[in-house]
Amino acid sequence: MSRLARPPYIDTTTGIAYDTDKAEFEGYLTKQSMWLRDWRRRYFILKGSRLFFAKTPYEAPHGMIDLSRCTTVKSADLKAHKKHSFEISTPDTTYLLYADDEKAKDDWIGSVGRAIVRCSSTYVSKGGQASQGAKGGKGNNLDAMNEDYDDDSSDYSNSSNNPYFND
């Protein structure tokens, strides 16, 4: 029995339709809206160098983050004032998101980080060949992949009276 195909994402600026079926990674995250700064639960679909988001798994996505333009993906519990949060940064925008638990957060950071690396000119495939990524020779700064990764975790505790964390 075949499942219904998810509708494509249509870029309103260019009119290009992006296929969102057969995702590499998908699931629910809560994203801070760009204008009102409130938090909205969305279904995210990672496919290639694009991260799409929709209200449900069956609706056409209404937004896209082009990971080929991203510079970092890293933990952001203090910045977002939410547990299990992380940020995805481009030169123009920083997206704040949070997962349901720490494992989901780590899985998303890893998956998005690998997608960003695949877009970079420094990516080397399993066969040992360098890939010419979407960045056209520009390097990439993935804080989540660095050994000096630090989210200042010693600056907070998980106590119930800590004002930085959601319930």
Side-chain angles (χ1 to χ4, degrees):
M1 183 171 167
S2 65
R3 70 173 191 84
L4 293 174
R6 181 183 294 117
Y9 169 74
I10 310 292
D11 188 320
T12 56
T13 306
T14 64
I16 297 172
Y18 294 94
D19 177 40
T20 58
D21 265 348
K22 299 178 183 161
E24 296 164 30
F25 198 75
E26 59 188 299
Y28 279 100
L29 292 169
T30 303
K31 179 178 114 25
Q32 188 176 52
S33 70
M34 299 306 291
W35 309 113
L36 298 176
R37 300 288 183 213
D38 57 338
W39 293 90
R40 298 177 182 168
R41 189 165 172 84
R42 296 290 184 245
Y43 193 80
F44 281 78
I45 304 130
L46 176 62
K47 184 166 184 180
S49 64
R50 293 177 177 85
L51 183 61
F52 304 96
F53 50 93
K55 289 185 179 179
T56 71
Y58 310 106
E59 293 181 29
H62 61 272
M64 177 185 75
I65 301 170
D66 185 355
L67 299 177
S68 69
R69 299 196 66 240
C70 288
T71 55
T72 60
V73 57
K74 63 183 178 180
S75 182
D77 287 355
L78 290 175
K79 185 174 187 176
H81 304 294
K82 299 283 186 186
K83 288 181 185 177
H84 320 303
S85 64
F86 61 99
E87 66 181 65
I88 300 172
S89 299
T90 70
D92 306 318
T93 308
T94 296
Y95 300 90
L96 292 174
L97 307 109
Y98 69 84
D100 293 336
D101 56 48
E102 197 67 20
K103 182 186 180 321
K105 170 188 161 179
D106 292 343
D107 290 346
W108 275 106
I109 288 174
S111 295
V112 169
R114 283 186 293 278
I116 293 170
V117 169
R118 283 193 307 264
C119 297
S120 78
S121 63
T122 58
Y123 174 69
V124 177
S125 67
K126 286 185 180 179
Q129 295 180 341
S131 169
Q132 183 63 21
K135 296 211 182 252
K138 293 181 184 172
N140 207 347
N141 173 24
L142 280 180
D143 290 353
M145 303 300 174
N146 288 339
E147 68 264 0
D148 61 339
Y149 170 73
D150 182 19
D151 71 349
D152 299 322
S153 59
S154 62
D155 292 344
Y156 66 89
S157 67
N158 287 333
S159 70
S160 60
N161 60 355
N162 188 327
Y164 288 115
F165 292 108
N166 47 322
D167 294 21

